[in-house]
Amino acid sequence: MIGIIAGSGYYELPGLLQRNDQTINTQYGEATVSTGTWDGVEVAFVARHGGDHSIPPNAINYRANVRALADLGVRSIFAVNVVGSLVLDRGPGSLFIVDDFIEFTQGRHCTFFDQPGEVTHTDMTSVYDPELRQTLKHAADLEEQQVTDSATYVCVNGPRFETPSEIRMFAQLGAHVVGMTGYPEVALAREAGLRYCSIAVVSNLAAGMTEDVVEEKEIWAALEATKDPVFRILKRCVQLSASDEC
């Protein structure tokens, strides 16, 4: 089974057949997962913010979501992360394949190994699975969608947007995109032994990149325009991954 986790604007998989919405109880809490077949392949889908966008990024139960997918038998996860771009010529609608992260969050439950006697140090050298990243790139090429195949994602707590000074600092650290949901999800997937990759969808240029303010209505308009191409890429990924597993 292949897992898909998506964020703002991506609340269900179009064309998911035999859909079964489940509440999965884990030791870390409840997770809502939709299972079914997508183009003949078994998938499990999680909408991070809930189907009604009611869960802010700092309150998402990342551990329950990842644990539930693992318990359902998912071994590979394709994630969609909505981001602001720190690359001036890669504005709204642009797509990046993430290959590293920097973390600036606070107060999140960020590990499965937080109990006495469970100290485990997990390698993060290639935390975004190289083969799945290649699958994403191949899928985008097949769908004739331009993607930037390397990006460092900086994760902030949210739900507020970043300041221009913060963006300048992140750029100096080597970040290309900024978002609120990529961590600890990627690290938890690694701890759980799941293969994980992320396609970052640009909704806006980050604060201070231009003289314009970050308008939420413009963000939603940009996301609406990306839905069809991103879902087509994801469907290709599912097809390609299913073929690899056969």
Side-chain angles (χ1 to χ4, degrees):
M1 182 178 285
I2 296 170
I4 298 173
I5 306 178
S8 299
Y10 296 82
Y11 304 123
E12 59 182 20
L13 291 182
L16 182 65
L17 301 179
Q18 300 167 331
R19 174 174 167 173
N20 181 21
D21 296 333
Q22 307 176 55
T23 299
I24 308 294
N25 292 306
T26 78
Q27 67 190 92
Y28 306 102
E30 295 183 346
T32 301
V33 184
S34 298
T35 58
T37 59
W38 206 32
D39 205 35
V41 181
E42 286 190 341
V43 299
F45 175 76
V46 172
R48 289 189 199 91
H49 299 288
D52 56 356
H53 199 85
S54 60
I55 308 171
N58 59 304
I60 293 169
N61 193 334
Y62 296 95
R63 292 197 297 183
N65 288 344
V66 172
R67 185 74 263 163
L69 291 178
D71 290 346
L72 285 169
V74 166
R75 292 296 173 261
S76 298
I77 296 174
F78 292 95
V80 180
N81 291 102
V82 175
V83 297
S85 175
L86 281 67
V87 182
L88 194 56
D89 63 355
R90 303 291 281 139
S94 299
L95 305 175
F96 290 84
I97 297 175
V98 182
D99 59 3
D100 206 350
F101 73 82
I102 303 170
E103 184 242 334
F104 276 89
T105 65
Q106 312 95 36
R108 300 187 181 192
H109 295 295
C110 60
T111 181
F112 292 120
F113 304 114
D114 61 349
Q115 298 301 311
E118 293 186 1
V119 178
T120 300
H121 302 290
T122 306
D123 176 65
M124 296 283 152
T125 304
S126 297
V127 63
Y128 298 92
D129 186 85
E131 291 184 4
L132 293 187
R133 295 200 330 257
Q134 283 299 115
T135 298
L136 263 176
K137 180 63 168 65
H138 186 36
D141 289 343
L142 290 172
E143 291 298 328
E144 300 181 338
Q145 297 296 317
Q146 181 184 2
V147 295
T148 301
D149 60 6
S150 177
T152 296
Y153 176 114
V154 61
C155 191
V156 297
N157 230 39
R160 71 166 178 85
F161 290 121
E162 307 74 39
T163 68
S165 292
E166 287 172 326
I167 293 302
R168 286 193 295 271
M169 175 182 68
F170 297 152
Q172 291 177 349
L173 292 174
H176 302 95
V177 296
V178 58
M180 304 173 189
T181 58
Y183 182 89
E185 188 175 278
V186 59
L188 291 168
R190 183 71 165 186
E191 287 188 348
L194 305 183
R195 302 167 70 202
Y196 181 100
C197 68
S198 166
I199 184 167
V201 181
V202 175
S203 61
N204 58 283
L205 287 169
M209 297 294 295
T210 69
E211 295 181 357
D212 298 332
V213 298
V214 179
E215 294 280 1
E216 195 164 356
K217 63 181 181 181
E218 294 178 3
I219 287 175
W220 290 115
L223 290 178
E224 189 64 31
T226 66
K227 280 186 180 180
D228 179 64
V230 170
F231 278 132
R232 286 193 283 113
I233 291 171
L234 289 174
K235 184 171 283 192
R236 285 279 192 177
C237 288
V238 168
Q239 294 167 346
L240 293 167
S241 297
S243 298
D244 289 343
E245 293 176 359
C246 292

